[in-house]
Amino acid sequence: MESGIITMAGWLSIFIWSVLVMSAQVHGDQLIDITFLKSAIPKGAVCLDGSPPAYSYFEGYGNGSNSWIVYLQSGGWCSSKIDCYNRSTTPRGSTYPFIGNQTNFSGLLDTNSTFNPDFYNWHKVYIYYCDGSSFMSDIKHVDPRTNVTYRGARIFKVVMEELLSKGMGNAQNAMLVGTSAGAMTTTLHCDKFRKLFQKNSRVKCVSDSGFIIHGKGLLGDHYREKYYADVIRTHGLRKSLPKSCTSKMNPNLCLFPEYYVGDIQTPLFLLESAFDAFQIEYNTLPAVGGRLGWSNCLGNLRHCNSTQLGIMRDFRNTFIGALLKLKHSLSRGMFVHSCYLHGHILIIQEWTCSSLQGNNILANKTIAQAISDWYFDRTSFRQIDVENDLPRNCSSSLTPELFVHKCLATLSTHPTCSYS
Ligand SMILES: *[C@@H]1O[C@H](CO)[C@@H](O)[C@H](O)[C@H]1NC(C)=O
Ligand SMILES: *[C@@H]1O[C@H](CO)[C@@H](O)[C@H](O)[C@H]1NC(C)=O
Ligand SMILES: *[C@@H]1O[C@H](CO)[C@@H](O)[C@H](O)[C@H]1NC(C)=O
Ligand SMILES: *[C@@H]1O[C@H](CO)[C@@H](O)[C@H](O)[C@H]1NC(C)=O
Ligand SMILES: *[C@@H]1O[C@H](CO)[C@@H](O)[C@H](O)[C@H]1NC(C)=O
Ligand SMILES: *[C@@H]1O[C@H](CO)[C@@H](O)[C@H](O)[C@H]1NC(C)=O
Ligand SMILES: *[C@@H]1O[C@H](CO)[C@@H](O)[C@H](O)[C@H]1NC(C)=O
Ligand SMILES: *[C@@H]1O[C@H](CO)[C@@H](O)[C@H](O)[C@H]1NC(C)=O
Ligand SMILES: *[C@@H]1O[C@H](CO)[C@@H](O)[C@H](O)[C@H]1NC(C)=O
């Protein structure tokens, strides 16, 4: 029960947070209509509450007309029948009527070339997350007690078919990308996504804060084992988990990217904080009674005491250790910084400007520059901040307006942002 409450609060805080960040956007609105895919209903490809899947689509143009970005929304998981029933009454389990009818496109999805020079004119799709299983579930029967449906995998399939019907299959360039639970969706579906395209097209995946660790031996490991095993059981995922993992270890551990990411064939970029705020707060602290005694520290890192910093440092060391243990791959990119954050890619401060008090820049590159260089094979990019072993507060003290103004001024005169 307790785990369910924490999870609910977890995604809720992420949701509220992302709304706040979005409304802080300071340049022209880029509101893209939401399409409700009603034709998916007879195929049983529906959200937890039976509502249709939904996405927003911006049509590419110019030299972007043969290039596609498919973005997968964040929002945690549900880990029991009751938890999923509760979720089915929220915007992360239903597209009706909560999610409105337009989506704000920003960050990687920004359609303004000033803010997003490499991708502004690509076809862009934002897929809403409403199944609570990272689009992995496919249970035939509706739960008779709650009327909840577990059909994430069908949603993924049907939405991909819809995009193929818009011409996505002919793309020369394509990127599958998601944040948090959407990043886990990205890594779990990456090789399948690749198969939708021709052999000679450039298809890559980007995981934005989705390297959710098991971290055996690290505080909270039993909590994490139980929680993700509960997700697997609730959604009936045993059969659909990556075979490369289930064939060699306890399948209940096979939602943890550290056990399957090494076997992904398609080029993958991991954009992560070594002090991932979600993982520290919701996957580690439950072992010491949750976030309650921690509000001072989590609200302002300067107030963390030595015990708390020690727990965060242990997390960071285990996290980096898990990344370094991955099977080597030349095509894999990494941007692993030390700012206390979770999720980057839709946030102008992070994507375009790399959030800057203290400069969240690695090897002199912003996140956008690092990912573009890697995507277009201009250079490889594998950077882990090994210098800072304490979490950094990288939020700017500037107002969003001033921040973006300064960022733009800097971007136009220097190739990289550099200011505070
Ligand atoms: C999009 O962001 C703008 C601020 O830039 C805000 O006024 C608007 O309400 C947002 N729209 C949606 C649908 O969230
Ligand atoms: C489109 O053209 C711009 C400007 O010449 C260039 O920076 C960008 O990389 C091109 N995009 C693609 C997908 O070729
Ligand atoms: C589901 O919601 C009810 C009512 O808000 C709450 O009492 C219960 O704790 C929730 N259960 C879970 C597992 O989240
Ligand atoms: C969006 O929703 C509002 C209210 O829910 C409605 O008045 C408006 O017509 C809708 N817009 C579109 C484009 O469907
Ligand atoms: C892009 O943003 C810049 C800076 O805010 C603005 O001056 C410009 O008009 C925008 N371009 C478009 C096409 O909206
Ligand atoms: C499930 O759906 C049926 C038929 O629409 C309805 O009668 C029943 O009350 C629903 N049960 C729950 C728990 O919502
Ligand atoms: C730090 O704060 C935590 C949570 O309030 C507390 O449990 C712990 O004992 C404190 N440690 C020190 C060294 O003060
Ligand atoms: C980061 O610094 C800002 C401004 O100094 C402060 O308001 C905020 O609470 C800090 N956040 C964290 C997580 O430390
Ligand atoms: C980053 O740029 C600064 C000044 O332009 C230079 O001194 C420094 O060597 C560069 N660092 C790296 C890692 O390229």
Side-chain angles (χ1 to χ4, degrees):
M1 265 333 225
E2 193 201 17
S3 72
I5 294 162
I6 289 164
T7 315
M8 202 74 172
W11 74 254
L12 213 89
S13 74
I14 291 164
F15 175 69
I16 290 165
W17 177 76
S18 66
V19 168
L20 287 175
V21 170
M22 274 189 176
S23 60
Q25 190 177 337
V26 288
H27 73 92
D29 269 12
Q30 305 172 90
L31 299 179
I32 313 292
D33 282 351
I34 298 177
T35 301
F36 296 89
L37 197 54
K38 298 215 172 70
S39 62
I41 295 177
K43 298 173 188 159
V46 292
C47 304
L48 291 171
D49 72 334
S51 57
Y55 65 88
S56 287
Y57 168 61
F58 171 86
E59 191 175 354
Y61 62 93
N63 72 352
S65 62
N66 234 341
S67 300
W68 287 69
I69 289 173
V70 176
Y71 176 81
L72 300 154
Q73 190 187 30
S74 61
W77 305 269
C78 52
S79 64
S80 70
K81 300 288 181 201
I82 302 164
D83 194 16
C84 290
Y85 170 74
N86 282 0
R87 174 178 282 245
S88 76
T89 67
T90 76
R92 284 301 191 277
S94 172
T95 57
Y96 177 80
F98 318 100
I99 65 169
N101 47 25
Q102 290 181 312
T103 311
N104 260 343
F105 274 30
S106 60
L108 171 68
L109 300 182
D110 206 311
T111 58
N112 183 318
S113 61
T114 309
F115 293 93
N116 195 19
D118 281 312
F119 305 105
Y120 69 98
N121 60 358
W122 286 32
H123 296 269
K124 296 189 194 70
V125 186
Y126 179 112
I127 302 176
Y128 280 84
Y129 178 41
C130 64
D131 66 287
S133 77
S134 282
F135 290 122
M136 292 291 282
S137 59
D138 190 355
I139 298 179
K140 192 171 167 197
H141 299 290
V142 177
D143 183 336
R145 229 159 30 98
T146 57
N147 292 343
V148 165
T149 49
Y150 297 88
R151 301 282 176 72
R154 290 197 206 182
I155 295 179
F156 189 83
K157 183 164 179 283
V158 163
V159 175
M160 291 306 130
E161 284 163 6
E162 168 90 350
L163 301 180
L164 291 174
S165 78
K166 293 181 187 294
M168 185 174 78
N170 301 319
Q172 275 163 4
N173 296 305
M175 187 195 286
L176 182 69
V177 48
T179 303
S180 194
M184 204 128 109
T185 311
T186 300
T187 51
L188 287 165
H189 291 267
C190 181
D191 283 340
K192 213 175 309 162
F193 180 74
R194 209 275 161 250
K195 294 204 180 83
L196 303 175
F197 302 90
Q198 287 151 19
K199 275 216 165 58
N200 60 357
S201 48
R202 181 191 275 132
V203 183
K204 301 192 179 190
C205 301
V206 177
S207 159
D208 174 22
S209 299
F211 197 75
I212 308 292
I213 59 167
H214 170 215
K216 188 154 185 60
L218 177 72
L219 185 68
D221 54 355
H222 296 305
Y223 170 82
R224 293 187 290 279
E225 283 159 17
K226 179 175 184 321
Y227 182 81
Y228 290 94
D230 285 347
V231 172
I232 290 169
R233 187 179 33 77
T234 302
H235 295 271
L237 304 186
R238 275 290 181 109
K239 293 189 312 281
S240 44
L241 292 166
K243 300 276 179 296
S244 64
C245 177
T246 53
S247 64
K248 60 183 187 231
M249 66 175 76
N250 176 357
N252 281 336
L253 298 175
C254 289
L255 273 181
F256 292 116
E258 73 215 74
Y259 302 130
Y260 67 81
V261 154
D263 293 305
I264 294 174
Q265 301 299 306
T266 310
L268 172 70
F269 195 100
L270 298 169
L271 167 59
E272 303 286 339
S273 167
F275 293 97
D276 184 271
F278 170 80
Q279 295 193 58
I280 288 175
E281 294 178 34
Y282 296 101
N283 278 356
T284 309
L285 296 190
V288 291
R291 299 161 73 240
L292 275 175
W294 282 63
S295 50
N296 280 342
C297 163
L298 299 175
N300 195 329
L301 296 168
R302 281 193 205 165
H303 299 147
C304 299
N305 66 27
S306 57
T307 315
Q308 292 165 325
L309 291 176
I311 287 175
M312 289 175 161
R313 198 188 282 123
D314 286 349
F315 175 85
R316 176 245 184 205
N317 292 343
T318 305
F319 185 85
I320 291 178
L323 285 172
L324 294 178
K325 253 184 260 147
L326 289 176
K327 196 186 292 174
H328 187 68
S329 158
L330 278 176
S331 69
R332 191 179 306 129
M334 277 192 203
F335 188 113
V336 182
H337 60 82
S338 305
C339 301
Y340 191 72
L341 280 176
H342 180 69
H344 315 78
I345 218 150
L346 295 192
I347 303 168
I348 190 168
Q349 284 91 331
E350 304 296 329
W351 172 252
T352 313
C353 310
S354 276
S355 191
L356 299 185
Q357 198 172 25
N359 293 330
N360 187 13
I361 286 174
L362 294 179
N364 277 357
K365 283 182 187 163
T366 64
I367 292 169
Q369 290 163 341
I371 291 183
S372 297
D373 284 353
W374 165 83
Y375 182 85
F376 292 107
D377 301 306
R378 293 193 283 251
T379 62
S380 60
F381 194 93
R382 266 188 302 278
Q383 294 286 329
I384 297 178
D385 176 1
V386 289
E387 275 160 33
N388 294 290
D389 70 345
L390 289 176
R392 302 169 62 215
N393 179 349
C394 296
S395 62
S396 173
S397 50
L398 300 174
T399 64
E401 288 78 4
L402 268 176
F403 180 89
V404 171
H405 185 75
K406 206 159 176 182
C407 168
L408 281 185
T410 314
L411 279 178
S412 61
T413 49
H414 304 290
T416 62
C417 291
S418 166
Y419 39 83
S420 59

